[in-house]
């Protein structure tokens, strides 16, 4: 795979859940050290569900994440319907979701259904070489970011690691451009465009450009806590559930245009 960055953003945490209670162990019984270490190691790794109708893509993505050593890749699935069922059963830390999976349910609809199951779920969209239709709608449904299927292994691992930790402005880098390139009509904005102050417009622009919280705080000469509070208020003002959706709102209201 060739390296190419295409990320966005949506954010928030989803705790790993187990479907069965741990078996009772009598006080005099001790678990073999090797088994204990394996169980602890598995629990510590980030669980990832890969969803794509192309089995070659799921194999390549799974192999890259396995090689990184810090992920537990679940059995891949190949349709939106399977993605919903697998998420409900496994509750992975992160879902990598193909946007288009004809002829069944699209990744956009599957993302929306997963967010209904768990509003704290973390979903990253997988797109083709040229960002195709569905990106904006997928972000509107609640996805945190977008990654191109042609991204290199290092980039893939970096994005998955960042997204599994929660939303981040760095995941927005290149997102607005990808949405525009996709040619997909933007979903309808929820309300009329709000009035933004010059300071809010500056913050929105920096976020859409993918600058880190640290860079923005330094640029605006404010504390990190203050800057994050301003970002939260901006999301509320624009009706965005996460940072990635904030980029969609900025494009909808024509507050930001990628160069």
């Amino acid at each position: 795979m060739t390296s190419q960055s295409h990320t966005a953003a949506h954010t928030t945490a989803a705790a790993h859940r187990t479907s069965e209670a741990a078996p009772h162990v009598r006080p005099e019984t001790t678990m073999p050290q090797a088994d204990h270490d394996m169980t602890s190691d598995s629990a510590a790794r980030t669980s990832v569900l890969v969803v794509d109708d192309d089995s070659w893509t799921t194999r390549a993505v799974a192999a890259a994440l396995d090689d990184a050593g810090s992920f537990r890749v679940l059995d891949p699935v190949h349709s939106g319907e399977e993605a919903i069922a697998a998420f409900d059963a496994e509750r992975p830390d992160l879902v990598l979701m193909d946007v288009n999976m004809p002829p069944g349910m699209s990744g956009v609809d599957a993302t929306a259904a997963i967010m209904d199951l768990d509003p704290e779920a973390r979903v990253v969209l997988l797109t083709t070489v040229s960002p195709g239709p569905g990106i904006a709608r997928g972000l509107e449904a609640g996805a945190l970011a977008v990654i191109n299927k042609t991204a290199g292994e290092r980039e893939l691992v970096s994005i998955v690691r960042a997204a599994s930790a929660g939303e981040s402005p760095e995941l927005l880098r290149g997102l607005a451009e990808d949405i525009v390139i996709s040619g997909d009509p933007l979903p309808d904005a929820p309300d009329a465009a709000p009035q933004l102050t010059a300071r809010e417009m500056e913050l929105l622009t920096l976020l859409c450009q993918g600058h880190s919280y640290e860079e923005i705080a330094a640029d605006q000469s404010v504390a990190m806590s203050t800057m994050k509070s301003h970002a939260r208020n901006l999301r509320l003002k624009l009706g965005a559930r996460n940072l990635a959706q904030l980029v969609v709102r900025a494009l909808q209201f024509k507050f930001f245009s990628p160069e």
Side-chain angles (χ1 to χ4, degrees):
M1 293 190 286
T2 59
S3 178
Q4 182 178 350
S5 174
H6 294 284
T7 57
H10 66 62
T11 56
T12 52
H16 177 69
R17 305 173 179 85
T18 55
S19 57
E20 297 179 352
H24 176 69
V25 179
R26 290 180 299 169
E28 67 272 18
T29 303
T30 58
M31 182 181 294
Q33 186 63 41
D35 290 345
H36 176 71
D37 290 343
M38 287 173 60
T39 302
S40 299
D41 179 66
S42 177
R45 288 181 290 166
T46 299
S47 57
V48 181
L49 174 65
V50 184
V51 185
D52 197 293
D53 61 343
D54 181 3
S55 60
W56 287 106
T57 297
T58 58
R59 289 175 191 172
V61 171
L65 296 179
D66 279 334
D67 288 345
S70 56
F71 303 103
R72 180 169 61 90
V73 183
L74 306 178
D75 291 339
V77 295
H78 307 287
S79 71
E81 293 86 353
E82 289 178 316
I84 297 167
F87 177 86
D88 197 25
E90 301 286 349
R91 299 294 168 137
D93 298 314
L94 184 76
V95 179
L96 287 174
M97 180 75 74
D98 188 12
V99 175
N100 299 299
M101 293 180 285
M105 175 184 285
S106 73
V108 173
D109 292 336
T111 296
I114 286 173
M115 299 306 297
D116 285 341
L117 286 172
D118 183 0
E120 303 299 310
R122 296 171 185 170
V123 179
V124 172
L125 302 176
L126 287 170
T127 68
T128 50
V129 178
S130 295
I135 292 178
R137 289 181 292 113
L139 297 172
E140 185 70 19
L144 290 176
V146 177
I147 182 169
N148 199 294
K149 293 179 185 180
T150 60
E153 292 184 9
R154 181 178 298 180
E155 183 182 354
L156 170 68
V157 169
S158 176
I159 292 170
V160 171
R161 188 169 284 137
S164 64
E167 61 178 346
S168 163
E170 290 96 324
L171 290 170
L172 307 181
R173 194 167 294 129
L175 180 58
E177 289 90 339
D178 281 353
I179 294 173
V180 172
I181 292 171
S182 74
D184 198 30
L186 291 170
D188 293 335
D191 297 298
Q195 293 294 318
L196 299 184
T197 65
R199 189 83 172 200
E200 288 172 331
M201 283 292 296
E202 181 182 5
L203 173 58
L204 180 59
T205 297
L206 292 171
L207 287 170
C208 287
Q209 291 172 342
H211 292 283
S212 68
Y213 281 134
E214 291 80 4
E215 290 171 336
I216 297 173
D219 180 82
Q220 298 199 340
S221 301
V222 296
M224 280 280 289
S225 58
T226 300
M227 186 277 307
K228 288 185 177 182
S229 178
H230 289 333
R232 283 192 298 270
N233 291 337
L234 185 60
R235 289 209 319 257
L236 290 173
K237 195 167 185 177
L238 291 176
R241 78 167 90 187
N242 56 35
L243 291 175
Q245 208 172 80
L246 191 66
V247 175
V248 177
R249 295 284 178 270
L251 294 174
Q252 287 169 325
F253 296 136
K254 301 188 186 322
F255 288 145
F256 178 79
S257 178
E259 296 179 357

PDB file of all heavy atoms in Angstrom, residues 192-227:
ATOM      1  N   ALA A 192     -30.208  26.902  10.755  1.00  0.00           N
ATOM      2  CA  ALA A 192     -29.608  28.035  10.042  1.00  0.00           C
ATOM      3  C   ALA A 192     -28.216  28.293  10.616  1.00  0.00           C
ATOM      4  O   ALA A 192     -27.927  27.975  11.768  1.00  0.00           O
ATOM      5  CB  ALA A 192     -30.490  29.268  10.183  1.00  0.00           C
ATOM      6  N   ALA A 193     -27.360  28.873   9.810  1.00  0.00           N
ATOM      7  CA  ALA A 193     -25.989  29.139  10.242  1.00  0.00           C
ATOM      8  C   ALA A 193     -25.972  30.100  11.426  1.00  0.00           C
ATOM      9  O   ALA A 193     -26.581  31.173  11.374  1.00  0.00           O
ATOM     10  CB  ALA A 193     -25.193  29.722   9.083  1.00  0.00           C
ATOM     11  N   PRO A 194     -25.273  29.733  12.499  1.00  0.00           N
ATOM     12  CA  PRO A 194     -25.183  30.647  13.644  1.00  0.00           C
ATOM     13  C   PRO A 194     -24.187  31.763  13.374  1.00  0.00           C
ATOM     14  O   PRO A 194     -23.370  31.677  12.455  1.00  0.00           O
ATOM     15  CB  PRO A 194     -24.682  29.726  14.762  1.00  0.00           C
ATOM     16  CG  PRO A 194     -23.869  28.705  14.044  1.00  0.00           C
ATOM     17  CD  PRO A 194     -24.542  28.486  12.722  1.00  0.00           C
ATOM     18  N   GLN A 195     -24.257  32.795  14.166  1.00  0.00           N
ATOM     19  CA  GLN A 195     -23.297  33.885  14.076  1.00  0.00           C
ATOM     20  C   GLN A 195     -22.066  33.527  14.892  1.00  0.00           C
ATOM     21  O   GLN A 195     -22.159  33.203  16.072  1.00  0.00           O
ATOM     22  CB  GLN A 195     -23.916  35.185  14.613  1.00  0.00           C
ATOM     23  CG  GLN A 195     -25.050  35.732  13.762  1.00  0.00           C
ATOM     24  CD  GLN A 195     -24.568  36.193  12.391  1.00  0.00           C
ATOM     25  OE1 GLN A 195     -23.515  36.817  12.274  1.00  0.00           O
ATOM     26  NE2 GLN A 195     -25.336  35.874  11.359  1.00  0.00           N
ATOM     27  N   LEU A 196     -20.901  33.552  14.254  1.00  0.00           N
ATOM     28  CA  LEU A 196     -19.658  33.259  14.951  1.00  0.00           C
ATOM     29  C   LEU A 196     -18.830  34.519  15.123  1.00  0.00           C
ATOM     30  O   LEU A 196     -18.800  35.376  14.242  1.00  0.00           O
ATOM     31  CB  LEU A 196     -18.832  32.219  14.181  1.00  0.00           C
ATOM     32  CG  LEU A 196     -19.453  30.834  13.958  1.00  0.00           C
ATOM     33  CD1 LEU A 196     -18.443  29.921  13.277  1.00  0.00           C
ATOM     34  CD2 LEU A 196     -19.929  30.224  15.268  1.00  0.00           C
ATOM     35  N   THR A 197     -18.167  34.622  16.259  1.00  0.00           N
ATOM     36  CA  THR A 197     -17.266  35.735  16.485  1.00  0.00           C
ATOM     37  C   THR A 197     -15.984  35.516  15.681  1.00  0.00           C
ATOM     38  O   THR A 197     -15.715  34.413  15.182  1.00  0.00           O
ATOM     39  CB  THR A 197     -16.910  35.856  17.973  1.00  0.00           C
ATOM     40  OG1 THR A 197     -16.154  34.691  18.367  1.00  0.00           O
ATOM     41  CG2 THR A 197     -18.174  35.940  18.838  1.00  0.00           C
ATOM     42  N   ALA A 198     -15.187  36.572  15.559  1.00  0.00           N
ATOM     43  CA  ALA A 198     -13.915  36.442  14.841  1.00  0.00           C
ATOM     44  C   ALA A 198     -13.026  35.401  15.503  1.00  0.00           C
ATOM     45  O   ALA A 198     -12.343  34.622  14.820  1.00  0.00           O
ATOM     46  CB  ALA A 198     -13.211  37.800  14.798  1.00  0.00           C
ATOM     47  N   ARG A 199     -13.054  35.338  16.820  1.00  0.00           N
ATOM     48  CA  ARG A 199     -12.250  34.364  17.555  1.00  0.00           C
ATOM     49  C   ARG A 199     -12.739  32.936  17.276  1.00  0.00           C
ATOM     50  O   ARG A 199     -11.942  32.021  17.106  1.00  0.00           O
ATOM     51  CB  ARG A 199     -12.348  34.666  19.049  1.00  0.00           C
ATOM     52  CG  ARG A 199     -11.413  33.885  19.936  1.00  0.00           C
ATOM     53  CD  ARG A 199     -10.052  34.512  19.972  1.00  0.00           C
ATOM     54  NE  ARG A 199      -9.192  33.883  20.961  1.00  0.00           N
ATOM     55  CZ  ARG A 199      -8.116  34.458  21.458  1.00  0.00           C
ATOM     56  NH1 ARG A 199      -7.779  35.669  21.061  1.00  0.00           N
ATOM     57  NH2 ARG A 199      -7.367  33.834  22.334  1.00  0.00           N
ATOM     58  N   GLU A 200     -14.049  32.768  17.224  1.00  0.00           N
ATOM     59  CA  GLU A 200     -14.610  31.453  16.929  1.00  0.00           C
ATOM     60  C   GLU A 200     -14.295  31.019  15.502  1.00  0.00           C
ATOM     61  O   GLU A 200     -14.003  29.843  15.251  1.00  0.00           O
ATOM     62  CB  GLU A 200     -16.120  31.460  17.164  1.00  0.00           C
ATOM     63  CG  GLU A 200     -16.511  31.522  18.635  1.00  0.00           C
ATOM     64  CD  GLU A 200     -18.009  31.729  18.833  1.00  0.00           C
ATOM     65  OE1 GLU A 200     -18.646  32.345  17.945  1.00  0.00           O
ATOM     66  OE2 GLU A 200     -18.531  31.298  19.883  1.00  0.00           O
ATOM     67  N   MET A 201     -14.328  31.956  14.574  1.00  0.00           N
ATOM     68  CA  MET A 201     -13.992  31.634  13.189  1.00  0.00           C
ATOM     69  C   MET A 201     -12.530  31.207  13.075  1.00  0.00           C
ATOM     70  O   MET A 201     -12.199  30.273  12.340  1.00  0.00           O
ATOM     71  CB  MET A 201     -14.263  32.839  12.289  1.00  0.00           C
ATOM     72  CG  MET A 201     -15.728  33.066  11.957  1.00  0.00           C
ATOM     73  SD  MET A 201     -16.407  31.745  10.895  1.00  0.00           S
ATOM     74  CE  MET A 201     -15.439  31.972   9.405  1.00  0.00           C
ATOM     75  N   GLU A 202     -11.670  31.889  13.808  1.00  0.00           N
ATOM     76  CA  GLU A 202     -10.250  31.543  13.788  1.00  0.00           C
ATOM     77  C   GLU A 202     -10.042  30.138  14.346  1.00  0.00           C
ATOM     78  O   GLU A 202      -9.301  29.328  13.773  1.00  0.00           O
ATOM     79  CB  GLU A 202      -9.460  32.560  14.615  1.00  0.00           C
ATOM     80  CG  GLU A 202      -7.957  32.288  14.638  1.00  0.00           C
ATOM     81  CD  GLU A 202      -7.208  33.278  15.515  1.00  0.00           C
ATOM     82  OE1 GLU A 202      -7.864  34.121  16.177  1.00  0.00           O
ATOM     83  OE2 GLU A 202      -5.964  33.197  15.550  1.00  0.00           O
ATOM     84  N   LEU A 203     -10.707  29.831  15.459  1.00  0.00           N
ATOM     85  CA  LEU A 203     -10.589  28.504  16.062  1.00  0.00           C
ATOM     86  C   LEU A 203     -11.128  27.439  15.118  1.00  0.00           C
ATOM     87  O   LEU A 203     -10.505  26.377  14.941  1.00  0.00           O
ATOM     88  CB  LEU A 203     -11.353  28.470  17.389  1.00  0.00           C
ATOM     89  CG  LEU A 203     -11.466  27.107  18.082  1.00  0.00           C
ATOM     90  CD1 LEU A 203     -10.078  26.529  18.352  1.00  0.00           C
ATOM     91  CD2 LEU A 203     -12.272  27.227  19.375  1.00  0.00           C
ATOM     92  N   LEU A 204     -12.275  27.713  14.485  1.00  0.00           N
ATOM     93  CA  LEU A 204     -12.867  26.749  13.561  1.00  0.00           C
ATOM     94  C   LEU A 204     -11.920  26.468  12.393  1.00  0.00           C
ATOM     95  O   LEU A 204     -11.744  25.318  11.977  1.00  0.00           O
ATOM     96  CB  LEU A 204     -14.207  27.267  13.046  1.00  0.00           C
ATOM     97  CG  LEU A 204     -14.960  26.367  12.068  1.00  0.00           C
ATOM     98  CD1 LEU A 204     -15.262  25.015  12.697  1.00  0.00           C
ATOM     99  CD2 LEU A 204     -16.245  27.045  11.596  1.00  0.00           C
ATOM    100  N   THR A 205     -11.302  27.484  11.869  1.00  0.00           N
ATOM    101  CA  THR A 205     -10.359  27.321  10.757  1.00  0.00           C
ATOM    102  C   THR A 205      -9.169  26.457  11.162  1.00  0.00           C
ATOM    103  O   THR A 205      -8.764  25.547  10.430  1.00  0.00           O
ATOM    104  CB  THR A 205      -9.867  28.690  10.266  1.00  0.00           C
ATOM    105  OG1 THR A 205     -10.976  29.443   9.765  1.00  0.00           O
ATOM    106  CG2 THR A 205      -8.828  28.530   9.157  1.00  0.00           C
ATOM    107  N   LEU A 206      -8.611  26.722  12.340  1.00  0.00           N
ATOM    108  CA  LEU A 206      -7.463  25.949  12.811  1.00  0.00           C
ATOM    109  C   LEU A 206      -7.831  24.485  13.033  1.00  0.00           C
ATOM    110  O   LEU A 206      -7.051  23.579  12.718  1.00  0.00           O
ATOM    111  CB  LEU A 206      -6.920  26.565  14.104  1.00  0.00           C
ATOM    112  CG  LEU A 206      -6.261  27.941  13.958  1.00  0.00           C
ATOM    113  CD1 LEU A 206      -5.969  28.546  15.323  1.00  0.00           C
ATOM    114  CD2 LEU A 206      -4.979  27.836  13.134  1.00  0.00           C
ATOM    115  N   LEU A 207      -9.026  24.234  13.561  1.00  0.00           N
ATOM    116  CA  LEU A 207      -9.474  22.861  13.762  1.00  0.00           C
ATOM    117  C   LEU A 207      -9.663  22.152  12.423  1.00  0.00           C
ATOM    118  O   LEU A 207      -9.244  20.999  12.239  1.00  0.00           O
ATOM    119  CB  LEU A 207     -10.780  22.840  14.557  1.00  0.00           C
ATOM    120  CG  LEU A 207     -10.679  23.176  16.049  1.00  0.00           C
ATOM    121  CD1 LEU A 207     -12.069  23.351  16.652  1.00  0.00           C
ATOM    122  CD2 LEU A 207      -9.900  22.093  16.806  1.00  0.00           C
ATOM    123  N   CYS A 208     -10.299  22.823  11.471  1.00  0.00           N
ATOM    124  CA  CYS A 208     -10.529  22.230  10.155  1.00  0.00           C
ATOM    125  C   CYS A 208      -9.229  21.934   9.432  1.00  0.00           C
ATOM    126  O   CYS A 208      -9.163  21.024   8.592  1.00  0.00           O
ATOM    127  CB  CYS A 208     -11.404  23.151   9.305  1.00  0.00           C
ATOM    128  SG  CYS A 208     -13.142  23.207   9.803  1.00  0.00           S
ATOM    129  N   GLN A 209      -8.188  22.685   9.737  1.00  0.00           N
ATOM    130  CA  GLN A 209      -6.881  22.457   9.118  1.00  0.00           C
ATOM    131  C   GLN A 209      -6.101  21.337   9.795  1.00  0.00           C
ATOM    132  O   GLN A 209      -5.049  20.940   9.316  1.00  0.00           O
ATOM    133  CB  GLN A 209      -6.063  23.748   9.144  1.00  0.00           C
ATOM    134  CG  GLN A 209      -6.609  24.825   8.215  1.00  0.00           C
ATOM    135  CD  GLN A 209      -5.911  26.162   8.387  1.00  0.00           C
ATOM    136  OE1 GLN A 209      -5.243  26.410   9.413  1.00  0.00           O
ATOM    137  NE2 GLN A 209      -6.039  27.038   7.399  1.00  0.00           N
ATOM    138  N   GLY A 210      -6.639  20.818  10.901  1.00  0.00           N
ATOM    139  CA  GLY A 210      -6.003  19.693  11.579  1.00  0.00           C
ATOM    140  C   GLY A 210      -4.872  20.053  12.507  1.00  0.00           C
ATOM    141  O   GLY A 210      -4.029  19.208  12.816  1.00  0.00           O
ATOM    142  N   HIS A 211      -4.832  21.288  12.992  1.00  0.00           N
ATOM    143  CA  HIS A 211      -3.802  21.665  13.964  1.00  0.00           C
ATOM    144  C   HIS A 211      -4.094  21.011  15.306  1.00  0.00           C
ATOM    145  O   HIS A 211      -5.252  20.834  15.685  1.00  0.00           O
ATOM    146  CB  HIS A 211      -3.750  23.182  14.129  1.00  0.00           C
ATOM    147  CG  HIS A 211      -3.257  23.913  12.922  1.00  0.00           C
ATOM    148  ND1 HIS A 211      -1.925  23.970  12.578  1.00  0.00           N
ATOM    149  CD2 HIS A 211      -3.926  24.612  11.963  1.00  0.00           C
ATOM    150  CE1 HIS A 211      -1.785  24.670  11.463  1.00  0.00           C
ATOM    151  NE2 HIS A 211      -2.986  25.062  11.062  1.00  0.00           N
ATOM    152  N   SER A 212      -3.059  20.651  16.030  1.00  0.00           N
ATOM    153  CA  SER A 212      -3.225  19.991  17.322  1.00  0.00           C
ATOM    154  C   SER A 212      -3.739  20.986  18.352  1.00  0.00           C
ATOM    155  O   SER A 212      -3.644  22.213  18.188  1.00  0.00           O
ATOM    156  CB  SER A 212      -1.896  19.410  17.800  1.00  0.00           C
ATOM    157  OG  SER A 212      -0.982  20.445  18.128  1.00  0.00           O
ATOM    158  N   TYR A 213      -4.271  20.443  19.452  1.00  0.00           N
ATOM    159  CA  TYR A 213      -4.726  21.301  20.549  1.00  0.00           C
ATOM    160  C   TYR A 213      -3.569  22.164  21.067  1.00  0.00           C
ATOM    161  O   TYR A 213      -3.753  23.344  21.383  1.00  0.00           O
ATOM    162  CB  TYR A 213      -5.271  20.453  21.693  1.00  0.00           C
ATOM    163  CG  TYR A 213      -6.670  19.935  21.491  1.00  0.00           C
ATOM    164  CD1 TYR A 213      -6.982  18.605  21.762  1.00  0.00           C
ATOM    165  CD2 TYR A 213      -7.696  20.770  21.049  1.00  0.00           C
ATOM    166  CE1 TYR A 213      -8.270  18.120  21.594  1.00  0.00           C
ATOM    167  CE2 TYR A 213      -8.984  20.296  20.876  1.00  0.00           C
ATOM    168  CZ  TYR A 213      -9.267  18.968  21.146  1.00  0.00           C
ATOM    169  OH  TYR A 213     -10.541  18.498  20.974  1.00  0.00           O
ATOM    170  N   GLU A 214      -2.390  21.558  21.150  1.00  0.00           N
ATOM    171  CA  GLU A 214      -1.229  22.310  21.649  1.00  0.00           C
ATOM    172  C   GLU A 214      -0.900  23.477  20.731  1.00  0.00           C
ATOM    173  O   GLU A 214      -0.618  24.592  21.198  1.00  0.00           O
ATOM    174  CB  GLU A 214      -0.014  21.374  21.773  1.00  0.00           C
ATOM    175  CG  GLU A 214      -0.114  20.322  22.855  1.00  0.00           C
ATOM    176  CD  GLU A 214      -0.949  19.121  22.439  1.00  0.00           C
ATOM    177  OE1 GLU A 214      -1.407  19.059  21.266  1.00  0.00           O
ATOM    178  OE2 GLU A 214      -1.151  18.228  23.288  1.00  0.00           O
ATOM    179  N   GLU A 215      -0.917  23.241  19.421  1.00  0.00           N
ATOM    180  CA  GLU A 215      -0.625  24.309  18.460  1.00  0.00           C
ATOM    181  C   GLU A 215      -1.666  25.415  18.535  1.00  0.00           C
ATOM    182  O   GLU A 215      -1.326  26.609  18.480  1.00  0.00           O
ATOM    183  CB  GLU A 215      -0.593  23.733  17.042  1.00  0.00           C
ATOM    184  CG  GLU A 215       0.595  22.824  16.763  1.00  0.00           C
ATOM    185  CD  GLU A 215       0.476  22.111  15.423  1.00  0.00           C
ATOM    186  OE1 GLU A 215      -0.659  21.941  14.916  1.00  0.00           O
ATOM    187  OE2 GLU A 215       1.522  21.722  14.876  1.00  0.00           O
ATOM    188  N   ILE A 216      -2.934  25.039  18.657  1.00  0.00           N
ATOM    189  CA  ILE A 216      -3.998  26.044  18.701  1.00  0.00           C
ATOM    190  C   ILE A 216      -3.899  26.868  19.980  1.00  0.00           C
ATOM    191  O   ILE A 216      -4.066  28.096  19.959  1.00  0.00           O
ATOM    192  CB  ILE A 216      -5.378  25.372  18.591  1.00  0.00           C
ATOM    193  CG1 ILE A 216      -5.515  24.669  17.245  1.00  0.00           C
ATOM    194  CG2 ILE A 216      -6.494  26.404  18.762  1.00  0.00           C
ATOM    195  CD1 ILE A 216      -6.778  23.843  17.100  1.00  0.00           C
ATOM    196  N   ALA A 217      -3.635  26.211  21.109  1.00  0.00           N
ATOM    197  CA  ALA A 217      -3.514  26.926  22.374  1.00  0.00           C
ATOM    198  C   ALA A 217      -2.372  27.939  22.309  1.00  0.00           C
ATOM    199  O   ALA A 217      -2.508  29.080  22.775  1.00  0.00           O
ATOM    200  CB  ALA A 217      -3.284  25.940  23.515  1.00  0.00           C
ATOM    201  N   ALA A 218      -1.253  27.525  21.707  1.00  0.00           N
ATOM    202  CA  ALA A 218      -0.117  28.435  21.575  1.00  0.00           C
ATOM    203  C   ALA A 218      -0.457  29.585  20.636  1.00  0.00           C
ATOM    204  O   ALA A 218      -0.116  30.751  20.893  1.00  0.00           O
ATOM    205  CB  ALA A 218       1.105  27.682  21.069  1.00  0.00           C
ATOM    206  N   ASP A 219      -1.154  29.278  19.526  1.00  0.00           N
ATOM    207  CA  ASP A 219      -1.521  30.308  18.554  1.00  0.00           C
ATOM    208  C   ASP A 219      -2.443  31.349  19.160  1.00  0.00           C
ATOM    209  O   ASP A 219      -2.316  32.550  18.871  1.00  0.00           O
ATOM    210  CB  ASP A 219      -2.201  29.661  17.344  1.00  0.00           C
ATOM    211  CG  ASP A 219      -2.609  30.681  16.288  1.00  0.00           C
ATOM    212  OD1 ASP A 219      -1.755  31.073  15.482  1.00  0.00           O
ATOM    213  OD2 ASP A 219      -3.799  31.092  16.292  1.00  0.00           O
ATOM    214  N   GLN A 220      -3.369  30.905  20.006  1.00  0.00           N
ATOM    215  CA  GLN A 220      -4.332  31.825  20.588  1.00  0.00           C
ATOM    216  C   GLN A 220      -3.915  32.325  21.969  1.00  0.00           C
ATOM    217  O   GLN A 220      -4.664  33.063  22.617  1.00  0.00           O
ATOM    218  CB  GLN A 220      -5.707  31.156  20.656  1.00  0.00           C
ATOM    219  CG  GLN A 220      -6.252  30.783  19.285  1.00  0.00           C
ATOM    220  CD  GLN A 220      -7.751  30.562  19.280  1.00  0.00           C
ATOM    221  OE1 GLN A 220      -8.365  30.315  20.313  1.00  0.00           O
ATOM    222  NE2 GLN A 220      -8.357  30.676  18.107  1.00  0.00           N
ATOM    223  N   SER A 221      -2.741  31.916  22.413  1.00  0.00           N
ATOM    224  CA  SER A 221      -2.187  32.360  23.694  1.00  0.00           C
ATOM    225  C   SER A 221      -3.151  32.116  24.858  1.00  0.00           C
ATOM    226  O   SER A 221      -3.419  33.005  25.682  1.00  0.00           O
ATOM    227  CB  SER A 221      -1.822  33.864  23.632  1.00  0.00           C
ATOM    228  OG  SER A 221      -0.885  34.096  22.619  1.00  0.00           O
ATOM    229  N   VAL A 222      -3.673  30.890  24.916  1.00  0.00           N
ATOM    230  CA  VAL A 222      -4.570  30.510  26.006  1.00  0.00           C
ATOM    231  C   VAL A 222      -4.123  29.165  26.562  1.00  0.00           C
ATOM    232  O   VAL A 222      -3.356  28.435  25.932  1.00  0.00           O
ATOM    233  CB  VAL A 222      -6.036  30.401  25.527  1.00  0.00           C
ATOM    234  CG1 VAL A 222      -6.556  31.747  25.053  1.00  0.00           C
ATOM    235  CG2 VAL A 222      -6.182  29.348  24.436  1.00  0.00           C
ATOM    236  N   ALA A 223      -4.608  28.852  27.748  1.00  0.00           N
ATOM    237  CA  ALA A 223      -4.305  27.558  28.352  1.00  0.00           C
ATOM    238  C   ALA A 223      -5.026  26.452  27.586  1.00  0.00           C
ATOM    239  O   ALA A 223      -6.057  26.692  26.956  1.00  0.00           O
ATOM    240  CB  ALA A 223      -4.736  27.554  29.815  1.00  0.00           C
ATOM    241  N   MET A 224      -4.485  25.234  27.666  1.00  0.00           N
ATOM    242  CA  MET A 224      -5.099  24.104  26.971  1.00  0.00           C
ATOM    243  C   MET A 224      -6.542  23.906  27.414  1.00  0.00           C
ATOM    244  O   MET A 224      -7.430  23.651  26.595  1.00  0.00           O
ATOM    245  CB  MET A 224      -4.294  22.838  27.247  1.00  0.00           C
ATOM    246  CG  MET A 224      -3.056  22.706  26.406  1.00  0.00           C
ATOM    247  SD  MET A 224      -3.448  22.095  24.740  1.00  0.00           S
ATOM    248  CE  MET A 224      -3.865  20.395  25.135  1.00  0.00           C
ATOM    249  N   SER A 225      -6.793  24.015  28.723  1.00  0.00           N
ATOM    250  CA  SER A 225      -8.147  23.805  29.240  1.00  0.00           C
ATOM    251  C   SER A 225      -9.109  24.841  28.684  1.00  0.00           C
ATOM    252  O   SER A 225     -10.252  24.531  28.340  1.00  0.00           O
ATOM    253  CB  SER A 225      -8.142  23.845  30.766  1.00  0.00           C
ATOM    254  OG  SER A 225      -7.637  25.085  31.229  1.00  0.00           O
ATOM    255  N   THR A 226      -8.647  26.074  28.553  1.00  0.00           N
ATOM    256  CA  THR A 226      -9.485  27.140  28.010  1.00  0.00           C
ATOM    257  C   THR A 226      -9.785  26.897  26.537  1.00  0.00           C
ATOM    258  O   THR A 226     -10.922  27.039  26.080  1.00  0.00           O
ATOM    259  CB  THR A 226      -8.786  28.500  28.165  1.00  0.00           C
ATOM    260  OG1 THR A 226      -8.542  28.751  29.557  1.00  0.00           O
ATOM    261  CG2 THR A 226      -9.635  29.630  27.591  1.00  0.00           C
ATOM    262  N   MET A 227      -8.745  26.487  25.795  1.00  0.00           N
ATOM    263  CA  MET A 227      -8.931  26.256  24.369  1.00  0.00           C
ATOM    264  C   MET A 227      -9.896  25.091  24.116  1.00  0.00           C
ATOM    265  O   MET A 227     -10.769  25.157  23.255  1.00  0.00           O
ATOM    266  CB  MET A 227      -7.569  25.992  23.723  1.00  0.00           C
ATOM    267  CG  MET A 227      -7.589  25.872  22.207  1.00  0.00           C
ATOM    268  SD  MET A 227      -8.064  24.226  21.668  1.00  0.00           S
ATOM    269  CE  MET A 227      -6.900  23.244  22.603  1.00  0.00           C
TER     270      MET A 227
END
